[in-house]
């Protein structure tokens, strides 16, 4: 489902080329009362690739595919605060 949304609306997968926004997770929730809803986790890199990496992350939820797509397209990235992502490993001091 995420590949279809990415292709149709110009998003790319997190593992793809750097894009404006990536849909990193998408899923469906089944509640105890029998209702269901859809959700998506989106990420957007902020600025140039630097260490540590800054990303903006948004979570949207809808009761139908159309509602979810509308919310995905309507994310106001200017209102989302960036988070610093610490990458583990990567720097080793081999000096003795």
């Amino acid at each position: 489902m995420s590949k279809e949304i990415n292709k149709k609306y110009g998003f790319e997968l997190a593992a793809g080329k750097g894009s404006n926004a990536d849909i990193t997770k998408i899923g469906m929730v089944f509640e105890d009362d029998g209702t269901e809803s859809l959700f998506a986790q989106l990420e957007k890199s902020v600025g140039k690739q630097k260490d540590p990496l800054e990303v903006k992350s948004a979570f949207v939820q809808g009761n139908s595919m159309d509602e979810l797509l509308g919310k995905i397209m309507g994310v106001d990235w200017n209102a989302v605060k960036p988070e610093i992502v610490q990458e583990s490993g990567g720097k080793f001091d081999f000096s003795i």
Side-chain angles (χ1 to χ4, degrees):
M1 184 177 352
S2 65
K3 287 183 181 182
E4 178 183 328
I5 294 170
N6 287 328
K7 183 179 177 183
K8 185 174 181 180
Y9 295 99
F11 289 95
E12 293 187 22
L13 296 172
K17 303 173 194 171
S19 69
N20 190 27
D22 300 325
I23 298 175
T24 57
K25 296 178 184 173
I26 194 164
M28 180 178 272
V29 177
F30 297 97
E31 301 294 340
D32 291 336
D33 63 1
T35 60
E36 57 188 49
S37 62
L38 303 165
F39 68 89
Q41 178 76 35
L42 302 111
E43 288 186 359
K44 179 179 179 179
S45 296
V46 179
K48 297 180 180 179
Q49 298 291 333
K50 56 185 177 180
D51 191 24
L53 178 65
E54 289 184 349
V55 297
K56 291 183 176 185
S57 183
F59 180 86
V60 295
Q61 187 171 351
N63 293 323
S64 69
M65 181 64 98
D66 291 334
E67 183 181 355
L68 180 65
L69 291 174
K71 289 183 177 184
I72 289 172
M73 299 305 293
V75 171
D76 180 8
W77 289 107
N78 294 324
V80 179
K81 294 183 182 181
E83 303 169 3
I84 296 176
V85 177
Q86 297 290 341
E87 294 186 28
S88 60
K91 291 189 177 183
F92 297 96
D93 183 2
F94 292 105
S95 62
I96 296 178

